[in-house]
Every structure is written in structure tokens, then in C-alpha cells.
Amino acid sequence: MSSRTLLFVMNSATPDAEIAAMAEMTGRDGTHLVCLLVDPTPALPAYAYGIPPYGAVNIPDNWQMQVQQAHNAQQTRVDEVEKLLAHHGTSGQVMGTLTASLHVKHQVARCARVSDEAVFANNLRETPHLLRESISGVLFHSPIGFQVNANTAHKATRVFIAWDSSPPAAAAVHRALPYLKNAQEVVIGCIDPIMTPEHDGQDPGTDLAAWLSHHGCTVTVSQYPSGERSISDCIQDRARETGADLIVMGAYARGRMIQTVLGGTTRSMVEQTEIPVFFAH
């Protein structure tokens, strides 16, 4: 997995320890690390917007000063992170952006389009809207996948694929192929498969297993009933049972709200904090 570019989406509050761990991991792999600090632009006070459709925008005199102060604070943090990467001898670069929430996805997508994978800092969960928009930028505006709860201590040795024969699941497997080829074992898990020709086929997961075997992967296939439990709970339970240290799965969105609203299973798997998960759409 050398000569890759990893996009680390973070903010100014991301702890040094998490950045250092990411720097050490990418340094071991020879990966180029791009740290993108995404912080919100200071919000205009409510009274500044006037009363539509005739109310004029009344920008407070000190708002530009607040923006400049926020920019200066972020630049100070960018300089600190650059020194941290240099201390660890990491090949990388650090960028900062102040942006309104609705534009976050576009800033993240711009960097994601020239990266191989994205990882989100754990503390972004403290700003759910920022995290959601950043995920949207990677999933729906770039060609790469992303990872949450990334294990920076060691590489994944056993990978669990949540497989349902869908295009998002297939995209996730293709983009996670470097992890799958380096793993000692790959487990393909099909939960409540629909065994018809137009869905999962008569023997779900075997076609994927054959393809991965051609890549040199050691693969096993299992079908599981959900027992009326949520799919996200089933995925996590089966991953723990197999000793997986990485889950690979497709990411889904809700109908026409594909740009901003993640599906229930995807959202639950993003929110859980125990198991690393690689997503793609």
C-alpha cells in the first residue's frame, strides 16, 4: 500500500495524539498524508439577515474581524500540525479551510478527488453536521472510499465484507482491495440474502469469493439470518464473531436526499466507535 495518498479530514480541535498516530501509520507504509483542517466560518448574527424579501443584509462591523481572527487561529494550528508531521518524518501536507456548513462537502471533495482514501478524525463526531457533510463530499462527489475508527496501530489481518451484491458493496470491495490482499483471511458475510437470479443468486457471495481468490485472498463465505435485528447490529456481531479488525461495506443514502442524508445502516455503522469500517458508494 505504498505510494498512496491518504486524506485525513480533521479540524483545529483534533488532538495531537490522533494526528501523531496517523503520521506514524502513514510513515510506516510510505503513504503521503494530506491533513485537511475544516473549521466553520464565524456565523453572522441572526439580525444581520434582515426580513425577506425586502430586508437588507446588515453585516456587523466586527464580523470581518471575527473571520480574520478565526483564519489566524486556524493558520496557527496548520503550522503546529506541519511541525508535528515533520517531527515524525512523515511525507505530507497540511491545508486549512474556513467554510460555511453547506460548502464543506465541496472543500472535502476537491481534496478527495486527488487522494486514494479518506479517514475522518474521531472528534468530528462532536460536530455531526460537519461530519455528515464531509462524508457526503467523499461518497457522492469523489471516486474514493473512507474509513472511520481507523486502527493506526497495525494493519488489518482479518476483514469482514458485508456483501449484498449491490453496486455500493461492489464499489467498496474494489476500493478496499489493497486491504483485502494484505489480510490473512477475508470473510464474506451475506445477511438475509435473497436467493434469486436477479438479486443475490442461488449461492450468495461465491462469485465474489472466486474473484478475490484470483487476487490471492484466503476467503470464506457465510450466510446469516438477521432474526429481525437491525442490519448494523448483525454486521457488528458477525464481525466480532469472526475476529475481524476491519469491516468493508457499501454506503447508502435515502432516496432523493442522496447528497446529505445517509441511510439508517450506514449512519449506525458510522456512529459506532468500536470497529474500523471502510465505506464506499
Side-chain angles (χ1 to χ4, degrees):
M1 297 176 67
S2 60
S3 303
R4 301 174 75 240
T5 296
L6 179 69
L7 173 63
F8 184 44
V9 184
M10 53 180 285
N11 60 22
S12 293
T14 300
D16 282 359
E18 187 173 358
I19 303 169
M22 191 63 59
E24 291 176 0
M25 181 191 74
T26 54
R28 291 193 302 268
D29 292 339
T31 298
H32 184 71
L33 179 64
V34 175
C35 294
L36 177 63
L37 282 71
V38 181
D39 295 303
T41 302
L44 281 169
Y47 68 81
Y49 295 95
I51 302 175
Y54 305 109
V57 176
N58 179 24
I59 298 178
D61 294 337
N62 66 342
W63 185 74
Q64 288 292 346
M65 183 177 65
Q66 293 176 21
V67 172
Q68 187 60 49
Q69 289 174 343
H71 175 78
N72 293 342
Q74 187 186 68
Q75 185 57 50
T76 297
R77 185 57 174 153
V78 166
D79 295 341
E80 293 172 351
V81 175
E82 286 178 341
K83 291 178 182 178
L84 190 58
L85 298 190
H87 174 75
H88 289 276
T90 302
S91 169
Q93 63 190 107
V94 186
M95 298 178 290
T97 179
L98 290 178
T99 183
S101 296
L102 291 177
H103 301 300
V104 167
K105 58 177 172 284
H106 302 299
Q107 299 291 340
V108 173
R110 186 174 294 113
C111 293
R113 290 170 192 147
V114 288
S115 301
D116 296 288
E117 179 184 346
V119 172
F120 291 97
N122 292 325
N123 74 304
L124 291 186
R125 288 193 175 93
E126 298 170 7
T127 52
H129 184 71
L130 176 64
L131 176 60
R132 185 168 60 250
E133 290 296 308
S134 298
I135 287 174
S136 175
V138 173
L139 286 181
F140 308 123
H141 299 276
S142 87
I144 67 173
F146 74 92
Q147 194 172 162
V148 295
N149 306 326
N151 189 332
T152 56
H154 61 80
K155 296 180 180 179
T157 58
R158 185 170 284 105
V159 180
F160 182 90
I161 300 174
W163 180 248
D164 60 3
S165 302
S166 67
V173 171
H174 277 265
R175 292 167 194 166
L177 193 57
Y179 291 107
L180 302 175
K181 293 172 70 173
N182 284 330
Q184 297 176 7
E185 182 182 4
V186 176
V187 178
I188 299 172
C190 304
I191 299 173
D192 291 339
I194 302 174
M195 298 182 185
T196 60
E198 62 271 20
H199 289 94
D200 299 312
Q202 293 301 312
D203 203 356
T206 56
D207 50 354
L208 175 61
W211 179 68
L212 289 176
S213 295
H214 294 157
H215 279 284
C217 300
T218 300
V219 188
T220 58
V221 181
S222 297
Q223 287 99 33
Y224 306 101
S226 65
E228 299 184 355
R229 302 184 66 220
S230 72
I231 298 299
S232 60
D233 285 344
C234 291
I235 291 173
Q236 293 175 67
D237 288 346
R238 301 292 84 79
R240 293 188 189 97
E241 287 177 2
T242 59
D245 39 22
L246 177 66
I247 295 171
V248 172
M249 61 179 289
Y252 302 85
R254 287 183 173 176
R256 295 181 182 179
M257 300 298 291
I258 192 170
Q259 302 299 329
T260 56
V261 181
L262 299 174
T265 298
T266 303
R267 186 175 63 253
S268 295
M269 293 301 295
V270 168
E271 291 173 351
Q272 62 83 30
T273 59
E274 295 184 11
I275 308 175
V277 186
F278 181 96
F279 297 90
H281 177 75

